[in-house]
Amino acid sequence: GDRIAQLDAYYEGRIWLSDSSLAGKRVSGSFDLRDPVSALRAAAGSQAAEVSQLTPFLLSVSPR
């Protein structure tokens, strides 16, 4: 949840967490904030989650 909020600050649109259980997952690593979508995909992938682009300015993170 905290990492999503941090990445959301760098993304031009909004990032929506479709399942609140993902908010409690721990993520560690080094992510390039110049490309927040790739950073989000990498973080989600480490937690068995996926990122879908719903509109040009809305990303959804959901469990696989």
Side-chain angles (χ1 to χ4, degrees):
D2 291 339
R3 298 299 165 247
I4 297 291
Q6 288 176 334
L7 286 172
D8 196 38
Y10 290 90
Y11 179 60
E12 291 181 9
R14 299 289 302 163
I15 300 171
W16 176 58
L17 209 54
S18 70
D19 186 332
S20 61
S21 70
L22 292 172
K25 302 280 185 175
R26 293 184 151 235
V27 175
S28 64
S30 179
F31 303 101
D32 185 355
L33 297 177
R34 292 173 294 184
D35 187 355
V37 176
S38 291
L40 180 61
R41 289 185 193 285
S46 73
Q47 298 301 318
E50 63 185 358
V51 177
S52 301
Q53 186 167 3
L54 303 177
T55 72
F57 297 103
L58 179 60
L59 297 176
S60 171
V61 181
S62 57
R64 281 194 217 141

